[in-house]
Amino acid sequence: MTAEQFIASKASEAVKALYNSDASASMMQVGVTRKDFTGDYTLVVFPLLKISHAAPAATAEAIGNWLVGNCPEISAFNAVQGFLNLSLSNVYWNNSLKSIVSDPSFGQLPSTGRRVMVEFSSPNTNKPLHLGHVRNNLLGSSVSNLLKAAGDEVIKTTLVNDRGVHICKSMYAWEQRFNGATPESTGKKGDHLVGDCYVEYARMEKENPEVLDKVHEMLVKWEAGDPAVRALWKMMNEWVFAGFEQTYKALGISFDKTYYEHETYLLGKELVQRGLDMGVFVRESDGSVWCDLTEDGLDRKLLIRSDGTSVYITQDLGTAERRFSEYKLDSHVYVVGDEQNYHFQVLKLILAKLGFKWAEQIFHLSYGMVELPEGKMKSREGTVVDADDLIQKMYDEAKATSEESGKLDEMSEQEKDALYNMIGLGALKYFILKVDPKKKMLFNPKESIDFNGNTGPFIQYTHARIQSILRKAHSSFDEFKVDPGVTLSAKEIRLVKIISSYPQKISEAAASYSPAVIANYAYELAKEFNQYYHETPILKEEYTGALQMRLSLIELLASVLRKATGILGMKLPDRM
C-alpha cells in the first residue's frame, strides 16, 4: 500500500466516524505536499464538503484532528483552506521500511493480463549496427523489461530486413568490385565487409546513376527465385547475421522471436490482393498497386511496383497480421525512429481499411535520432559510428578512468577486464536511456564515463560503496533487522520515501514507455544515499538497533538500485 493509499484509507475512516457516511474512492484525492507547505502528503477536502456540510477549513480541521488523535502513523497536520497537509510519523516510515525489506517482489507490479509484443532493432542486412541502432536496441530491450515489471506478458521480437533494393545494392557492389572477398580473406566481421560494399555502391551510383537499373534487375531476379542471385544473397546475409550476433551478445540484447522479411513479404502481397478484391486498393495501368489516402489527409501510397516487386510497407502489413493472429496480442509496440512517423500513420490506416480492428492497438514508440558532436551520421557515406567500435571505445574509456583512481591493485586481470566491460556498457546504456525517447540526443563517450554527476558509473560506484559497508558489517551481524523502536532521521525518512515510490515510478515509466523515468529515479536514489553517507557514520553507530536499521536500509537501497538499473540492462559491481 502506498502512502497515498494509506492516507486515503484512514481519511475514509475519519469521514465515517465524524459524519457517519461513506466516502467514495473518487472523493479521496491525495498527493505529495507542495514544497512551500509543511507536510508529506495533502488530502484535498473539497470533494468531501457534500458529506460534511461545513466550510472547507472547518472540514479539514475536523479530519486532521481525528487522524492525529486516532492514527499513530500521522503525527501532525495543517489546514490551508480546503487542503489538509499531513505529516507522517516515525511509526509509519519504520513500518514502511520493514514492509519493503520483507517483500522480495517489491517493484514487480501485479499481472495485467495483457500480452504485448515489442519490436526493436530490425536492422537491414547491408551494413553493421551503428550508434543509431544502439539507441534503438537499448530502448527496445529496456521498454520490454519495463513492461514486464509493470505486469505485462512481453514478447521481444525483431524483423530482419534481409531483402529489397538496399540489400541488392551491397550484393551488386560485391559482384563488381570486391573480387570474391570474404570475412576470412579480409579478416573483417561479415557485417562490416557487407557495409563496405554498401558504401562502395554509393560511389558507383555517383559515378554512373544507371547502375540503379542493374540493382532493380537483381531484385526482380531475386523475387523470381533466380538460383545465382539467391545463392549470393544467402551467403552475404549469413556473414551479416554472424556479425550481428556478436554485437547483440556484447550489448546484452536478445529476442524471443525473429522474423525475416524474405519470409513475410509474400504475406503482405496476399493482403494487397485482398485489398484489391475489397476495392480498398487500385491497380494502375502500369501494373503498380496503390492505396489512396488523400481523403484521410495523407497521400497515395505505393504497395506494389510496376515490375511486381513489393515495397517496405507491403511486408509490414503481412507481418502485423501474422503476429496478431499468432499471438492474440493486446498491443504491439514498434520501436522505430521519428523519421518513420508518417510510415506508421499509413500502416495503421491501411490495416484499418482492410478491416483489422486491432489496428488501433499498434503503438509507434517514436524516438529522436542520436547525433555526435561532429553532426549527423550517414550510412551510405560511411560516416557512422559502428556499434562494435563504440563498445570498444567505452571499454577503453572505462579502463583509463578506472586506472587513474588506483583502487584496483588487488584485482586480477580477469576481474579488471570484467569490471571495465561492466562500467563501459553501464555508462553507454545509462547515458542513452536517461534521455526521454522523444528527444534527439548528443552522445559524448568521455562525458558518459564520468564517475561524478548523472552517469552510469556514478550509480555503479554508489552500489560498490554500499557493498563495501555491508561486507564490513557482516562480521558482526548475521542478518539485518528493522527495530520499530528506532527513530529515523530526516535523511533516512527521505531515503525510505524515495525507495517506497519505486513501484509508482515503474507504473509511470511504463505508461509513457520511457526508461528515462527509471534512469533518473536511480540517479536520485544514488545521489540521496551519497549525501546520507557523508553525513551519517553508519558503522560507527553504537546502538545495535539503529545500526541494524541503517544496514537494512542501505541493503534495501542497493537492491532497488539493482532492480532499477536491471530494467536499463545495466550491471552493478560489488567492487570498484
Side-chain angles (χ1 to χ4, degrees), residues 12-221:
S12 293
E13 292 179 23
V15 170
K16 180 71 173 177
L18 291 168
Y19 308 112
N20 194 30
S21 180
D22 294 318
S24 65
S26 62
M27 290 181 173
M28 293 300 163
Q29 300 173 14
V30 181
V32 176
T33 301
R34 284 170 45 183
K35 290 182 179 179
D36 45 341
F37 290 96
T38 301
D40 295 311
Y41 294 90
T42 298
L43 173 70
V44 181
V45 174
F46 294 109
L48 302 173
L49 301 184
K50 63 180 69 176
I51 294 177
S52 69
H53 302 295
T59 303
E61 192 79 20
I63 295 173
N65 278 315
W66 190 93
L67 290 172
V68 170
N70 293 274
C71 303
E73 297 90 350
I74 297 175
S75 58
F77 77 92
N78 65 87
V80 181
Q81 297 301 322
F83 299 93
L84 177 59
N85 303 318
L86 300 164
S87 297
L88 295 172
S89 70
N90 184 75
V91 173
Y92 176 83
W93 295 117
N94 222 318
N95 288 342
S96 180
L97 175 58
K98 187 174 182 179
S99 173
I100 299 171
V101 166
S102 61
D103 181 7
S105 65
F106 177 73
Q108 174 59 55
L109 304 190
S111 172
T112 62
R114 293 197 327 147
R115 178 177 290 169
V116 181
M117 181 172 279
V118 181
E119 180 198 290
F120 59 100
S121 194
S122 301
N124 295 332
T125 56
N126 63 342
K127 56 196 172 190
L129 302 178
H130 57 61
L131 176 55
H133 292 116
V134 170
R135 187 178 197 190
N136 182 295
N137 276 279
L138 298 184
L139 184 58
S141 182
S142 185
V143 165
S144 298
N145 295 336
L146 183 55
L147 295 177
K148 285 180 186 176
D152 290 338
E153 178 190 347
V154 178
I155 303 159
K156 296 184 295 180
T157 189
T158 188
L159 171 67
V160 181
N161 302 304
D162 62 349
R163 60 159 297 282
V165 172
H166 290 311
I167 311 308
C168 288
K169 286 178 179 180
S170 293
M171 291 163 58
Y172 183 76
W174 184 86
E175 271 192 334
Q176 299 297 313
R177 298 279 178 94
F178 281 77
N179 301 313
T182 66
E184 292 73 22
S185 68
T186 60
K188 284 193 170 188
K189 276 182 74 199
D191 51 339
H192 286 263
L193 175 58
V194 175
D196 291 345
C197 296
Y198 186 62
V199 173
E200 181 59 31
Y201 173 81
R203 293 195 194 100
M204 295 169 66
E205 188 178 310
K206 197 170 184 179
E207 295 166 6
N208 178 17
E210 291 181 5
V211 298
L212 186 57
D213 294 333
K214 299 291 186 182
V215 170
H216 278 291
E217 287 175 18
M218 183 176 275
L219 179 60
V220 172
K221 288 181 179 180

Side-chain angles (χ1 to χ4, degrees), residues 443-479:
F443 181 72
N444 186 323
K446 194 167 186 66
E447 184 182 335
S448 72
I449 288 287
D450 192 348
F451 280 31
N452 298 298
N454 190 1
T455 66
F458 172 75
I459 296 170
Q460 290 173 317
Y461 187 73
T462 298
H463 183 266
R465 172 174 274 171
I466 293 172
Q467 295 309 308
S468 175
I469 297 170
L470 295 176
R471 281 194 298 274
K472 293 173 184 176
H474 266 297
S475 59
S476 305
F477 295 93
D478 294 328
E479 62 178 34

